[in-house]
Amino acid sequence: MSDPGLFTPNSVTWQMHGDPMMWVAGVRALYLQALHPRAVRGVIQNSDFRRDAWGRLMRTANFVGTTTYGTTEAAERAGVRVRKIHSMLTATDPDTGERYGVGEPELLLWVHCAEIDSYLHVLRRSGFPLTDAQADRYIAEHRVSARLVGLDPATVPASRAELAAYFEKVRPELAAGTEARVVDDFLLRPPTHPLLVPARELLWRRVAVLAYAALPSYAHELYGRPAPAPAVVTRRLRATGRLLRAVPATVRWQLPPKHILRAMARLGPGARPAPYKLGR
């Protein structure tokens, strides 16, 4: 029998990560992650994301796709690569001169929780059918992905209550500093060819604005930009979800990195991710 991978087709993760609103959720995660000064400093000081925006997004999508839909061996290899990169990178606090590793557990935990919270929040709010119990199961499943990046699974939230408690605990450490402003500006106006600027304003900016609007209230306060009323944001998320989900999955999944199609080829058509399977 072919290897189903770390999550398997029976997981909540398998069904959720095939949804097109994951792209909006990913942008929300970037906005949220940038509010931790030590974490975002590690990104700014160790990458040229302004010149390689698409490459960075694709590398993140490839990691999520590999760990979700790839074989166990492929997922473990991806984890080894991430841990090796983290072990070699450091950042410097400009105020204190402190030099620290970007692979510190507290920083990895923040990035992980901001990502999982964003995936769960955006998909549920946009209409993806998920019960509270299934949401808790999704968070618990991602102790696996936390292990891959170097965290002790026992230290990672495994339910909505634990995740909420974590965010409450870490909130005093958050701030929209210089590096967060850089990320904010980049997400609204990523560098692109002059001929593509109209498309950026028409398409990408709408995604970024929607992702920003879906942030929690404390994030809006830190960034200092107001968000539409929650009901308005929810309507926009649901409308966007309906629009994107109207595109046939077989068409959407043709876009790189094509992990879902490879998983279905490996495991058979029954491995196709679909929301209705969550009720089984």
Side-chain angles (χ1 to χ4, degrees), residues 212-235:
Y212 175 85
L215 287 168
S217 58
Y218 66 81
H220 293 298
E221 293 173 6
L222 291 173
Y223 275 115
R225 282 204 313 277
V232 173
V233 178
T234 299
R235 284 199 299 271

Side-chain angles (χ1 to χ4, degrees), residues 108 154 158 160-161 168 177 188 208 226 253 268 271:
L108 296 178
R160 288 171 300 122
E168 190 65 27
L188 284 174
W253 295 340

Side-chain angles (χ1 to χ4, degrees):
M1 180 179 178
S2 296
D3 176 16
L6 293 177
F7 288 101
T8 83
N10 295 321
S11 66
V12 177
T13 296
W14 190 280
Q15 316 310 331
M16 274 184 57
H17 285 188
D19 191 84
M21 288 298 286
M22 285 285 290
W23 288 99
V24 177
V27 177
R28 181 196 191 260
L30 294 176
Y31 271 117
L32 192 54
Q33 289 164 349
L35 291 175
H36 194 300
R38 287 170 66 87
V40 71
R41 193 175 296 130
V43 175
I44 297 294
Q45 294 184 11
N46 287 285
S47 67
D48 191 6
F49 68 90
R50 281 187 167 275
R51 294 186 180 180
D52 188 28
W54 181 248
R56 183 172 180 81
L57 287 172
M58 288 307 299
R59 285 191 292 274
T60 300
N62 188 57
F63 179 79
V64 173
T66 297
T67 56
T68 303
Y69 299 110
T71 63
T72 301
E73 181 183 1
E76 295 290 353
R77 283 201 309 267
V80 169
R81 286 194 297 271
V82 168
R83 295 195 299 273
K84 182 177 180 180
I85 292 171
H86 287 165
S87 70
M88 297 186 296
L89 301 180
T90 60
T92 302
D93 187 322
D95 297 323
T96 66
E98 176 198 5
R99 195 165 187 82
Y100 58 90
V102 303
E104 288 184 354
E106 66 173 280
L107 304 185
L108 296 178
L109 183 59
W110 166 253
V111 171
H112 170 84
C113 289
E115 190 172 277
I116 297 307
D117 178 74
S118 292
Y119 294 162
L120 189 59
H121 180 88
V122 168
L123 265 68
R124 293 192 84 185
R125 201 170 172 187
S126 67
F128 190 91
L130 210 62
T131 66
D132 288 346
Q134 290 164 344
D136 283 341
R137 181 179 161 194
Y138 174 75
I139 296 170
E141 286 174 358
H142 279 275
R143 283 184 161 182
V144 171
S145 59
R147 175 185 63 78
L148 289 176
V149 300
L151 285 165
D152 176 359
T155 66
V156 178
S159 67
R160 288 171 300 122
E162 291 180 12
L163 192 60
Y166 167 78
F167 281 115
E168 190 65 27
K169 177 183 176 181
V170 80
R171 274 180 61 178
E173 302 174 33
L174 306 181
T178 302
E179 291 89 352
R181 301 295 177 184
V182 171
V183 173
D184 182 23
D185 180 68
F186 165 76
L187 290 174
L188 284 174
R189 289 172 290 273
T192 189
H193 190 282
L195 294 177
L196 296 178
V197 168
R200 181 189 69 183
E201 296 302 306
L202 179 64
L203 299 175
W204 174 260
R205 191 176 180 86
R206 293 187 179 186
V207 171
V209 168
L210 181 60
Y212 175 85
L215 287 168
S217 58
Y218 66 81
H220 293 298
E221 293 173 6
L222 291 173
Y223 275 115
R225 282 204 313 277
V232 173
V233 178
T234 299
R235 284 199 299 271
R236 291 178 181 175
L237 285 167
R238 286 184 173 272
T240 303
R242 286 194 297 270
L243 178 64
L244 294 180
R245 291 165 189 144
V247 178
T250 51
V251 174
R252 290 189 273 107
W253 295 340
Q254 289 292 338
L255 296 173
K258 298 187 179 182
H259 290 294
I260 294 175
L261 294 180
R262 287 201 289 270
M264 290 170 61
R266 184 175 82 249
L267 301 172
R272 175 191 177 99
Y276 73 85
K277 293 183 178 181
L278 290 169
R280 291 181 175 177

